Amino acid sequence: METLRPRRSCLAVPGSSLKMLGKAPGLPADQVFLDLEDSVAPDAKESARANIVAALNGGGWGEKTRVVRVNDLTTQWTYRDVVSVVEGAGANLDAVMLPKVADAEQVHWLDLTLTQIEKTMGYEVGRIGIEAQIENPQGLINVNHIAFASDRIQTIVFGPADFMASINMPSLVVGGLNPDYPADPYHYILMQILMAARARGVQAIDGPYLQIRDVDGFRAVARRSQALGFDGKWVLHPGQIDAANEIYAPKQDDYDHAELILDAYDHYTTVEKLGAVMLGEEMIDEASRKMALVIAAKGRAAGLRRTSKFEPPAR
Ligand code: GLV
Ligand code: MG
């Protein structure tokens, strides 16, 4: 698992909304992404670029990961989005999100463009990351190549609304289940994205839930991708942030249990020279250690503190 900061809650902030741009730094999201794409009307794209540059350079973002979503490469806006924002605020930007990525070539284009701007501006080359958003069948069938297309890739992000539209899924509720289909219609897509992200060692992020006042609905959808192993989810409204931060962090009991396994395994393998042992009622071995590491790493990154301690048995 990669070591970047967790992105349990990724707050979408329309670049055309000065109100949201002003409010976002004070909200407890792990990541913000300042949007130039679908939440910004065509006539407002240019002024949104300037708003975003000012907001990034204005600071106050604390530990948040700062991302800008540019327009996709089928539009005329992408190159100016990248040039304006990265030249204007590259020193205060952690990653660029490319929506509707269709193939690895598009990632190569962004990688090269970022390198050129970094060299021109005297920024550290390669520091600014890329988030690749998968929103159509082309992107999904190429997701493994996309994940490996650049060292800058930091996350693979699911874009469910565009994805549903692109495959003619007959529903208007993003993430919703369909009583006519006895399973989760998103399972296949989520798993493909997760496999690509894990093979590449980067984060897998679930997309938005549009019924912003329905926090229970948000929780239900978030729990499904969290159960698979996703690292976080978009939040469109401050009311969804706490739910995402809670759901994508391990529960306290699981975190304590994971740390206990790590300590116990370390004790038994090094002190007692045993590879598979009983910890209470459960057998632990090297694979248990690996599973525990995943949960412990997420818990530590989320700032959880242990509430129990491993006591080696008296000999
Ligand atoms: C997000 O961009 C989506 O299409 O769901
Ligand atoms: Mg989209």
Side-chain angles (χ1 to χ4, degrees):
M1 205 151 98
E2 51 106 64
T3 51
L4 287 166
R5 287 197 293 272
R7 302 181 191 198
R8 298 165 301 174
S9 49
C10 306
L11 178 67
V13 183
S16 49
S17 168
L18 291 175
K19 189 169 157 221
M20 275 301 291
L21 286 167
K23 200 169 165 193
L27 296 171
D30 287 341
Q31 166 178 317
V32 287
F33 76 87
L34 313 185
D35 192 24
L36 285 168
E37 204 219 15
D38 285 355
S39 68
V40 177
D43 287 348
K45 301 272 186 204
E46 205 163 315
S47 54
R49 290 177 190 138
N51 295 343
I52 287 176
V53 167
L56 288 170
N57 290 340
W61 298 98
E63 292 288 290
K64 290 179 181 52
T65 301
R66 302 150 302 175
V67 178
V68 171
R69 180 169 71 163
V70 297
N71 286 279
D72 81 84
L73 276 164
T74 65
T75 72
Q76 70 274 36
W77 295 302
T78 325
Y79 80 101
R80 284 210 173 154
D81 289 345
V82 177
V83 172
S84 309
V85 168
V86 182
E87 281 198 356
N92 296 310
L93 177 67
D94 298 307
V96 173
M97 188 190 309
L98 191 60
K100 302 179 180 67
V101 180
D103 52 36
E105 304 281 288
Q106 296 192 341
V107 177
H108 294 154
W109 173 86
L110 182 55
D111 185 327
L112 286 170
T113 307
L114 287 171
T115 301
Q116 293 217 313
I117 301 171
E118 286 165 340
K119 286 182 175 168
T120 303
M121 300 300 293
Y123 301 146
E124 179 188 337
V125 173
R127 191 192 62 80
I128 297 174
I130 294 177
E131 297 205 331
Q133 199 186 1
I134 304 298
E135 307 198 75
N136 52 40
Q138 291 82 358
L140 194 67
I141 63 175
N142 290 320
V143 68
N144 296 340
H145 298 292
I146 290 168
F148 283 87
S150 162
D151 286 347
R152 297 180 190 264
I153 293 279
Q154 295 182 351
T155 66
I156 311 290
V157 184
F158 181 35
D162 274 302
F163 207 103
M164 288 164 68
S166 73
I167 62 171
N168 294 357
M169 195 185 270
S171 166
L172 289 172
V173 180
V174 171
L177 297 180
N178 182 337
D180 291 332
Y181 183 70
D184 178 353
Y186 304 94
H187 181 79
Y188 173 79
I189 309 165
L190 289 170
M191 278 311 241
Q192 298 266 326
I193 290 174
L194 184 64
M195 292 308 115
R198 289 294 175 258
R200 174 65 175 74
V202 297
Q203 296 195 34
I205 304 295
D206 194 4
Y209 184 72
L210 305 182
Q211 276 67 21
I212 58 172
R213 311 233 176 266
D214 177 8
V215 179
D216 289 343
F218 174 90
R219 284 178 168 275
V221 178
R223 272 198 216 101
R224 291 206 299 271
S225 70
Q226 187 276 335
L228 296 178
F230 269 64
D231 299 286
K233 183 169 176 64
W234 281 15
V235 291
L236 302 182
H237 185 268
Q240 297 176 330
I241 297 176
D242 287 348
N245 287 347
E246 177 201 317
I247 288 168
Y248 291 95
K251 296 195 180 37
Q252 184 68 45
D253 280 0
D254 292 337
Y255 172 65
D256 282 335
H257 188 184
E259 294 283 16
L260 206 63
I261 291 176
L262 293 178
D263 283 355
Y265 187 75
D266 185 55
H267 170 80
Y268 287 116
T269 48
T270 56
V271 180
E272 317 235 357
K273 317 278 185 227
L274 297 169
V277 289
M278 292 303 288
L279 176 65
E281 294 300 301
E282 106 191 279
M283 195 205 78
I284 59 168
D285 67 2
E286 175 59 22
S288 321
R289 186 187 70 86
K290 293 197 176 95
M291 290 193 295
L293 262 182
V294 171
I295 298 183
K298 284 196 182 199
R300 290 172 203 164
L304 296 189
R305 295 273 171 271
R306 298 181 64 166
T307 60
S308 63
K309 189 160 156 264
F310 171 68
E311 302 288 356
R315 310 190 75 195

